[in-house]
């Protein structure tokens, strides 16, 4: 396994080409190369190469997606970063705990580390796309870290954790977040039709359900099974509604 | 003890106000405030405040010194950073080992973390002013880290290590590096006069001697004792030369 192959760095709603360049450099510093820009605010990456010293290969290989779900679709695990230490209904991991999980999950397939935009970070909705959430503990004096700095801290810890084990993948392939995302969408449709979810605000309850499936560490086969089940349910519910 | 009081961050030969501002912010993020610019290359700190978001108090309290010895004079321990993993005659610590020592030494007095300039890092001579040396392990693809990024990694680790113990200082006060520096200068003069050191290249041997004293973790009283001893020796050697 090539070093770093299992870790994907996702920059969501990034605004600054300086930050993009700095993140590319820090990825190269620690042997990572797979970078995805999700829903970028920046219009062009021109200027990023100034800070991406000896790491232009990271920028050249970078993918761009229109949303976070798309960016994570091939991953079996994603941890989102936040500066908020309290999040309703979710346990906020320490960086060390998160790195431990990233390393463990990386035997099942691709794993991702997701950073939010410079101005507002990741929304609850963005974080709901991630299996776990982490916060870097900071001082009350200035709790908000610069994007490039937090990537330096976390990628250093990934590197030290020895993410990218050389051991053969033994576990059954983990469910891709793309499949889980499709499942969540299907669940939403079915449950709205079944009038289980409140049509004014369906997402909160849906997120809770989705989280339990993420926690269950589904295999890809199991996730597909769920998805097929909900396809059948949807057909049944639609049939029921039309009769 | 106020958080962060024991840790001094020294930026030696810094060139970029962006880096200065970024370091000020990361210090504020992790609760540190004591910053010294040693022998700065930058002519003005104007522009640093752009990146020093909510950390202008760090810049306002910053001291400037003309050389590294002066910057470290009140410290009992200093660890210098390098990207070189091999240094003749010195053990290069891992960041975790260095943080452990910084925490241990901080019960004796002020401790410093020293970063070299953007272009050439710290010279052997600069590193000889430091009790220990550390290197952040990086990938061969791009081994050189940006100054602001390496400060993010190391100050995070300091913070996690819980530098700034609240326990009362119990050990005898450690020797200040200023006193050790004065001792080294005195040793140099005496040993040159005594024709022990090669006048063409006295520093290498002198550095080795100095390092052994640093390793001995002298108390301030012991260092002053050594200094007084060398003052006496100098007088004796000078007298011998003039007779």
């Amino acid at each position: 396994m090539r070093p770093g192959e299992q870790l994907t760095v996702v920059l969501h709603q990034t605004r600054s080409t300086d930050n993009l360049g700095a993140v590319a450099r820090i990825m190269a510093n620690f042997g990572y190369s797979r970078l995805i820009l999700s829903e970028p605010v920046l219009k062009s990456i021109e200027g990023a190469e100034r800070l991406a010293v000896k790491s232009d290969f990271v920028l050249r290989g970078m993918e761009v997606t229109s949303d976070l779900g798309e960016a994570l679709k091939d991953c079996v695990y994603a941890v989102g970063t936040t500066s908020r230490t309290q999040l309703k209904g979710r346990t906020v991991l320490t960086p060390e705990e998160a790195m431990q999980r990233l390393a463990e999950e990386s035997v099942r397939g691709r794993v991702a580390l997701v950073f939010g935009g410079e101005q507002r970070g990741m929304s609850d909705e963005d974080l709901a796309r991630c299996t776990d959430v982490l916060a870097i503990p900071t001082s009350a004096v200035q709790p908000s870290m610069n994007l490039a700095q937090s990537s330096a801290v976390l990628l250093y810890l990934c590197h030290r954790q020895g993410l990218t084990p050389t051991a053969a993948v033994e576990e059954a392939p983990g469910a891709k977040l793309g499949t889980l995302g499709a499942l969540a969408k299907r669940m939403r449709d079915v449950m709205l039709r079944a009038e289980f979810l409140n049509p004014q605000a369906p997402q909160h309850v849906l997120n809770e359900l989705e989280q339990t499936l993420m926690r269950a560490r589904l295999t890809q086969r199991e996730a597909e099974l769920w998805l097929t089940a909900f396809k059948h349910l949807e057909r049944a519910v639609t049939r029921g509604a039309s009769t």
Side-chain angles (χ1 to χ4, degrees), chain A residues 34-229:
Chain A
R34 192 162 191 267
L35 175 62
I36 299 181
L37 271 192
S38 134
E39 209 185 314
V41 177
L42 51 83
K43 297 295 174 217
S44 145
I45 68 161
E46 208 172 318
E49 66 283 0
R50 187 177 67 87
L51 287 180
V53 181
K54 285 193 197 169
S55 45
D56 41 327
F57 66 96
V58 176
L59 296 178
R60 277 198 309 271
M62 182 176 72
E63 290 171 49
V64 181
T65 66
S66 57
D67 67 53
L68 186 56
E70 176 71 16
L72 297 177
K73 71 176 198 294
D74 290 333
C75 295
V76 300
Y77 177 88
V79 57
T81 55
T82 182
S83 60
R84 294 177 285 167
T85 48
Q86 300 262 319
L87 275 176
K88 206 178 155 198
R90 303 197 73 170
T91 305
V92 179
L93 304 180
T94 66
E96 290 77 7
E97 289 167 341
M99 294 310 127
Q100 180 68 34
R101 294 209 187 167
L102 272 173
E104 287 164 6
E105 300 288 342
S106 71
V107 301
R108 303 167 71 223
R110 278 189 170 149
V111 294
L113 182 57
V114 187
F115 297 92
E118 289 89 342
Q119 293 193 346
R120 288 172 304 139
M122 291 179 79
S123 69
D124 286 347
E125 206 42 57
D126 297 334
L127 291 173
R129 300 277 73 70
C130 300
T131 329
D132 275 320
V133 180
L134 77 84
I136 299 177
T138 47
S139 159
V141 174
Q142 163 48 309
S144 160
M145 287 182 73
N146 166 279
L147 170 58
Q149 315 293 74
S150 49
S151 78
V153 169
L154 295 177
L155 291 174
Y156 170 77
L157 293 175
C158 276
H159 180 67
R160 293 301 271 175
Q161 183 70 41
L163 192 58
T164 59
T166 46
V169 174
E170 281 174 33
E171 284 197 62
K176 294 184 176 174
L177 294 178
T179 309
L180 290 179
L183 172 58
K185 188 177 172 307
R186 184 74 62 163
M187 281 165 62
R188 177 192 164 107
D189 292 349
V190 179
M191 289 175 180
L192 277 171
R193 278 174 194 265
E195 296 177 3
F196 167 69
L197 294 175
N198 175 357
Q200 306 304 317
Q203 205 57 44
H204 180 68
V205 171
L206 188 70
N207 286 346
E208 277 195 73
L209 293 172
E210 211 183 334
Q211 284 297 318
T212 61
L213 289 178
M214 283 186 174
R215 273 208 312 276
R217 300 176 78 240
L218 299 182
T219 63
Q220 177 65 15
R221 205 193 62 78
E222 290 163 345
E224 285 168 6
L225 208 61
W226 270 100
L227 184 58
T228 312

Side-chain angles (χ1 to χ4, degrees), chain A residues 6-23:
Chain A
Q6 293 298 63
L7 184 76
T8 300
V9 174
V10 177
L11 295 181
H12 182 58
Q13 298 178 333
T14 299
R15 202 168 274 274
S16 149
T17 49
D18 275 4
N19 281 335
L20 173 60
V23 170

